[in-house]
Amino acid sequence: MSLFFGGEKKEAVLFSPLEGKITFEGKPTAGAKIKLWFAWKDKEGESFYYTADENGFFKIPKHTTTYKETPLAQLVISQEITVGHEGKPYEMWAMSKMDPAIFTELGGEPINLRCELTNDLTTIRGNHSLGGTACIWDSLNN
């Protein structure tokens, strides 16, 4: 019976903390509206909203949950970030991750993150993650 109803309770990081600077054509996006959306247990998911400061800096805190691990199902977390700037939406982040640990979206903690809204999304392939981002960083701190 434990195969179907048991399972160890674990913490899952639905979205790792992220901070950096958003620019549009190289200029800071003062007051840009940031929408974080992620889903893991249903299609509706959850949305959270943040605002970039006068220099385009933003900070998104870590979002976690607890779940019961089971060999009959694979945890999959979908993530999206869109940024509203001058009345237009820009896609900045589209990721999926299957590892519930922190920073598995990018293979480690991003350092000096910079996101240019005019950039196309660049494919990021991590260990148990896949997606795209308009952001770059100098190095990862594992």
Side-chain angles (χ1 to χ4, degrees), residues 4-118:
F4 297 105
F5 301 108
E8 178 184 343
K9 278 196 168 186
K10 293 184 78 174
E11 179 182 75
V13 177
L14 301 173
F15 191 84
S16 298
L18 194 65
E19 61 183 73
K21 184 175 184 176
I22 304 172
T23 57
F24 181 82
E25 296 177 346
K27 296 178 182 150
T29 58
K33 303 300 181 193
I34 302 161
K35 177 185 177 184
L36 166 65
W37 172 88
F38 54 78
W40 67 281
K41 63 181 177 177
D42 59 35
K43 290 181 181 181
E44 183 179 327
E46 299 177 68
S47 296
F48 298 87
Y49 299 89
Y50 305 93
T51 303
D53 73 9
E54 64 276 358
N55 297 311
F57 286 101
F58 71 97
K59 187 172 188 170
I60 299 174
K62 176 172 74 170
H63 291 268
T64 63
T65 192
T66 56
Y67 74 105
K68 281 192 176 182
E69 188 174 47
T70 174
L72 300 175
Q74 171 66 53
L75 177 69
V76 177
I77 303 161
S78 298
Q79 309 168 335
E80 293 179 4
I81 297 175
T82 53
V83 177
H85 177 65
E86 296 181 350
K88 290 180 64 177
Y90 295 89
E91 187 174 37
M92 188 175 92
W93 182 278
M95 289 281 192
S96 289
K97 71 182 226 170
M98 296 185 302
D99 186 331
I102 194 165
F103 295 122
T104 54
E105 301 92 325
L106 296 173
E109 184 177 353
I111 305 300
N112 193 22
L113 186 81
R114 299 168 315 279
C115 306
E116 171 59 48
L117 296 180
T118 61

Side-chain angles (χ1 to χ4, degrees), residues 61 81 85 87 123 136-137:
I81 297 175
H85 177 65
T123 300
I136 58 173
W137 52 93

